[in-house]
Amino acid sequence: MSAPSVIPVIAIDGPSASGKGTVAQRVAHVLGYHYLDSGAIYRIAALAALQRGINWQDETALVHMVHDLDIRFSQGEIYLNGAIITEAIRTEEISRGASEVAVHPALRRALLSLQQGFRQLPGLVADGRDMATVVFPDAQTKIFLTASAEIRAERRYKQLMEKGIHANLAEILQDLQARDARDSQRSAAPLLQSANARLLETSQLSIDQAVQAILEYSRSDNQFL
Ligand SMILES: Nc1ncnc2c1ncn2[C@@H]1O[C@H](COP(=O)(O)OP(=O)(O)OP(=O)(O)O)[C@@H](O)[C@H]1O
Ligand SMILES: Nc1ccn([C@H]2C[C@H](O)[C@@H](COP(=O)(O)O)O2)c(=O)n1
């Protein structure tokens, strides 16, 4: 069999707290691939805007701003203009802000090449909302990872409690549903299952089972390269 002519990508899209990040990082680790957390990039844009007093609705100012940002991912930390912001982008305020700035088409275009730059040998696992539809439409393996809103809210609740962060399950569910609606209903690159993506419903699956399913899909897709 001849070597693949393009750098392989496994694109994993899905709603908030569906487990994309956890599962994508494990798949990347097993395969020795690079990993792109595209949501972190929208979170950084929201945080940078907040720090500079730029309104999340101001598309022109946001686009201007992102051209001046130095974003780096290194050894598990995320840097913005040299400062570690790994935890600062995980607050509920920034989660909402990321979903709000992400509605702007010009901002999404401005962040496209940064994301595509992660496609490097030997391969990439990328997670987000539009990995399979817009950023890597030629990805070899496309997964739409989801779980019921109630299960996702419980997982997020448990995740926050484990970090010692006080949380309210009903509020988390409400917030997830609001973010799902904004991410799915926007006109620019909405969250949707790409026509050729496999649906992976993990409400009844463990993390390991989800990882194994994706590795299996990837193996099977690679047979046809
Ligand atoms: N199949 C699963 N079974 C049980 N828990 C899971 C499963 N998948 C993920 N989790 C847990 O759910 C929580 C949320 O997962 P994760 O942060 O990876 O979601 P996400 O989709 O990347 O979220 P976001 O889009 O908000 O960044 C984590 O604590 C993770 O360990
Ligand atoms: N490819 C992407 C990734 C993320 N977003 C937006 C929508 C999300 O609500 C927000 C935060 O993402 P998360 O860290 O929860 O994955 O960023 C997007 O529009 N496109």
Side-chain angles (χ1 to χ4, degrees), residues 93-110:
E93 182 185 27
I94 296 300
S95 298
R96 184 169 54 81
S99 173
E100 291 192 19
V101 299
V103 303
H104 302 303
L107 181 73
R108 302 193 72 86
R109 282 195 297 278

Side-chain angles (χ1 to χ4, degrees), residues 12-17 20-21 36-43 89-90 94-103 108 115 127-131 135 156 179-180 182-183 186 188-191:
I12 305 178
D13 292 306
S16 300
K20 304 178 300 295
L36 167 62
D37 171 5
S38 64
I41 292 172
Y42 290 93
R43 288 170 181 272
I89 59 166
R90 299 292 160 195
I94 296 300
S95 298
R96 184 169 54 81
S99 173
E100 291 192 19
V101 299
V103 303
R108 302 193 72 86
Q115 296 172 77
D127 89 65
R129 305 294 186 292
D130 62 344
M131 297 298 96
V135 183
R156 177 62 24 99
R179 269 218 284 159
D180 285 357
R182 193 164 37 236
D183 294 346
R186 67 182 180 221
L191 168 68

Side-chain angles (χ1 to χ4, degrees), residues 92 153-173:
E92 286 310 298
E154 277 170 28
R155 288 176 183 169
R156 177 62 24 99
Y157 176 78
K158 214 173 132 211
Q159 188 180 33
L160 291 171
M161 296 305 271
E162 280 167 5
K163 283 190 191 167
I165 300 170
H166 172 77
N168 175 300
L169 184 58
E171 280 175 16
I172 291 177
L173 178 58

Side-chain angles (χ1 to χ4, degrees), residues 22-84:
T22 306
V23 169
Q25 284 178 75
R26 291 198 191 192
V27 171
H29 180 76
V30 173
L31 296 174
Y33 280 13
H34 299 278
Y35 167 60
L36 167 62
D37 171 5
S38 64
I41 292 172
Y42 290 93
R43 288 170 181 272
I44 292 168
L47 175 70
L50 194 66
Q51 290 172 340
R52 289 159 179 72
I54 294 170
N55 195 298
W56 289 332
Q57 270 71 50
D58 189 344
E59 183 170 18
T60 309
L62 288 168
V63 171
H64 195 255
M65 176 196 80
V66 295
H67 291 305
D68 278 341
L69 301 182
D70 176 20
I71 298 171
R72 288 181 203 283
F73 294 78
S74 175
Q75 299 183 338
E77 300 287 4
I78 306 175
Y79 296 82
L80 171 59
N81 297 338
I84 294 182

